[in-house]
Amino acid sequence: MAALGWLTPRRRSATARSVLAGEAAAEAARKSSQTIEALEAQDVTAPAVEPVFPVAGDERAAAFFDLDNTVMQGAAIFHFGRGLYKRKFFQRRELARFAWQQAWFRLAGVEDPEHMQDARDSALSIVKGHRVSELMSIGEEIYDEYMADRIWPGTRALAQAHLDAGQKVWLVTAAPVETATIIARRLGLTGALGTVAESVDGVYTGKLVGEPLHGPAKAEAVRALAAAEGLDLTRCAAYSDSHNDIPMLSLVGHPYAINPDTKLRKHARQLDWRLRDYRTGRKAAKVGIPAAAGVGALAGGTAAAVALHRRRR
């Protein structure tokens, strides 16, 4: 989806819609994090042969994880669509399209712009007129049915290392923020930045606030959240599989390429970023992974994002 110009984060400035999507996601994420219970810190003993990372007790540091193919195998929106089909939200024709998009994503290992846009448009049309609370309840069931078994253990360990160090951990994804928040809570993470769908009086309108949280919009969301939380981005970490997330990865002082696509792998090697591939078990070209890694509601948020959208109008 990303053009080659995105390889350097400032070559292509974020559009006004990207900024709006990022700010809406950040505001929704801060609201949602209040409903998620933090995991108790676990004692982690780091070997003396290398510096400890993440740094325990560094409250100005946090970690940002992409979701699809970084934390979870496949795309969350496709799994969600499968669950909605089971509950007769749409017909077999739409299911076939979701299935094809998911198969392509898993085989190619990269995001196709047309497939992802089509999936988002389909999802918006499907949920239009439904209550946010209804979809949140269904999302809990869908996570257990289709997503729980698709979490990458290696990436989960990386996230836990940051939690154990007393740092906040956020998902950053183009998936609906409601779905992302459910996943974050189930994994014991702090919260989630995701695409915000507009709702009025708790009912989806079929429109987005801004645009999908993708590419530059993700970077804007992370920047906005960091400012609100008082974080120092040079001390933060970000993890992703996609070259589309280079703007987000370039914001932080500790970028990681997880299960990287070809373009991201090349870019990461050029900049000496850390890499890790959990798809085959092969060692990355530069491991450099934290030692600790080896050890191991949103209705209110949506309403807040809509309020932000109205204020900006």
Side-chain angles (χ1 to χ4, degrees), residues 222-236:
V222 169
R223 185 181 286 112
L225 184 62
E229 293 277 315
L231 301 174
D232 181 350
L233 285 173
T234 65
R235 290 145 72 172
C236 293

Side-chain angles (χ1 to χ4, degrees), residues 178-310:
E178 292 86 352
T179 301
T181 298
I182 290 171
I183 297 171
R185 181 174 57 78
R186 290 299 193 92
L187 296 178
L189 309 184
T190 307
L193 296 149
T195 297
V196 179
E198 184 184 69
S199 67
V200 175
D201 297 327
V203 178
Y204 289 113
T205 66
K207 300 178 182 179
L208 294 181
V209 178
E211 65 181 14
L213 199 70
H214 192 269
K218 279 190 178 182
E220 292 300 326
V222 169
R223 185 181 286 112
L225 184 62
E229 293 277 315
L231 301 174
D232 181 350
L233 285 173
T234 65
R235 290 145 72 172
C236 293
Y239 302 78
S240 179
D241 71 296
S242 174
H243 68 280
N244 295 318
D245 289 339
I246 287 176
M248 177 181 74
L249 294 170
S250 299
L251 277 181
V252 302
H254 303 280
Y256 292 77
I258 305 295
N259 305 328
D261 61 30
T262 301
K263 291 181 180 179
L264 178 58
R265 183 180 293 273
K266 179 179 179 181
H267 188 77
R269 284 173 171 166
Q270 290 174 342
L271 296 184
D272 202 32
W273 289 355
R274 295 183 173 107
L275 293 97
R276 194 67 162 182
D277 199 321
Y278 299 116
R279 292 168 297 188
T280 63
R282 64 178 181 271
K283 293 184 180 296
K286 176 180 175 63
V287 178
I289 295 297
V295 180
L298 207 52
T302 303
V306 173
L308 171 66
H309 181 47
R310 289 172 177 166

Side-chain angles (χ1 to χ4, degrees), residues 1-73:
M1 180 177 290
L4 291 179
W6 290 10
L7 295 181
T8 302
R10 289 298 179 187
R11 289 183 184 174
R12 176 175 175 176
S13 60
T15 65
R17 290 176 63 83
S18 294
V19 174
L20 174 59
E23 292 179 352
E27 185 163 348
R30 296 196 76 209
K31 293 285 186 180
S32 69
S33 68
Q34 297 174 6
T35 68
I36 300 177
E37 295 182 358
L39 293 179
E40 295 183 358
Q42 300 177 6
D43 293 332
V44 177
T45 303
V49 296
E50 61 178 292
V52 176
F53 181 86
V55 178
D58 187 354
E59 296 182 353
R60 297 197 65 197
F64 302 93
F65 284 79
D66 169 56
L67 176 58
D68 296 345
N69 211 37
T70 302
V71 172
M72 182 177 67
Q73 300 176 48

Side-chain angles (χ1 to χ4, degrees), residues 47-104:
V49 296
E50 61 178 292
V52 176
F53 181 86
V55 178
D58 187 354
E59 296 182 353
R60 297 197 65 197
F64 302 93
F65 284 79
D66 169 56
L67 176 58
D68 296 345
N69 211 37
T70 302
V71 172
M72 182 177 67
Q73 300 176 48
I77 192 171
F78 299 142
H79 298 315
F80 188 63
R82 184 181 176 188
L84 291 182
Y85 171 76
K86 178 181 178 181
R87 291 160 177 81
K88 304 186 184 303
F89 270 68
F90 55 92
Q91 303 301 314
R92 185 179 298 275
R93 179 179 56 207
E94 285 80 10
L95 177 65
R97 184 167 67 227
F98 270 101
W100 162 244
Q101 292 163 341
Q102 172 67 359
W104 193 96

Side-chain angles (χ1 to χ4, degrees), residues 55-183:
V55 178
D58 187 354
E59 296 182 353
R60 297 197 65 197
F64 302 93
F65 284 79
D66 169 56
L67 176 58
D68 296 345
N69 211 37
T70 302
V71 172
M72 182 177 67
Q73 300 176 48
I77 192 171
F78 299 142
H79 298 315
F80 188 63
R82 184 181 176 188
L84 291 182
Y85 171 76
K86 178 181 178 181
R87 291 160 177 81
K88 304 186 184 303
F89 270 68
F90 55 92
Q91 303 301 314
R92 185 179 298 275
R93 179 179 56 207
E94 285 80 10
L95 177 65
R97 184 167 67 227
F98 270 101
W100 162 244
Q101 292 163 341
Q102 172 67 359
W104 193 96
F105 181 83
R106 289 179 65 86
L107 290 174
V110 295
E111 299 168 348
D112 177 82
E114 293 184 3
H115 286 179
M116 299 302 288
Q117 183 63 52
D118 187 37
R120 283 188 289 268
D121 292 343
S122 297
L124 285 171
S125 65
I126 290 168
V127 303
K128 181 179 180 180
H130 288 275
R131 300 198 65 82
V132 175
S133 58
E134 176 190 9
L135 271 295
M136 285 293 291
S137 178
I138 291 174
E140 296 280 356
E141 299 172 1
I142 292 176
Y143 176 83
D144 290 328
E145 293 170 0
Y146 301 114
M147 300 180 186
D149 292 337
R150 291 180 168 83
I151 303 300
W152 291 109
T155 310
R156 179 66 186 87
L158 292 173
Q160 188 62 50
H162 287 278
L163 292 171
D164 291 344
Q167 297 176 6
K168 293 183 177 180
V169 178
W170 304 84
L171 291 181
V172 188
T173 173
V177 68
E178 292 86 352
T179 301
T181 298
I182 290 171
I183 297 171

